[in-house]
Amino acid sequence: MRSSQEVYKEVAQECDSYTAVNAQNENAFTNSAKEVSCLSCQHFAADEHCELDLYDKIVAKL
């Protein structure tokens, strides 16, 4: 499912399972400065879907 950049940001901010792609290689201060978005989450597949199947559930609550 394709979505706008803004919705990806909103969903990632609400997602309890959001994990930045490079989270294990960076410290907390560096991570907090980066933009939170589905596009930067480990669980977001190349074909633009959430591997944990959380995207639609979160969008429905927005």
Side-chain angles (χ1 to χ4, degrees):
M1 169 180 260
R2 296 183 188 264
S3 185
S4 73
Q5 298 292 325
E6 189 62 35
V7 175
Y8 281 147
K9 291 176 191 176
E10 291 176 23
V11 169
Q13 290 171 355
E14 296 297 319
C15 183
D16 292 335
S17 296
Y18 172 81
T19 305
V21 173
N22 294 321
Q24 63 270 37
N25 297 329
E26 300 174 1
N27 64 41
F29 296 109
T30 303
N31 284 340
S32 65
K34 290 197 173 205
E35 188 173 274
V36 175
S37 171
C38 292
L39 298 173
S40 64
C41 182
Q42 289 181 354
H43 305 116
F44 201 66
D47 62 351
E48 298 186 13
H49 80 276
C50 177
E51 294 174 339
L52 302 178
D53 199 27
L54 297 172
Y55 179 86
D56 290 333
K57 294 173 188 171
I58 295 171
V59 167
K61 294 179 184 178
L62 294 179

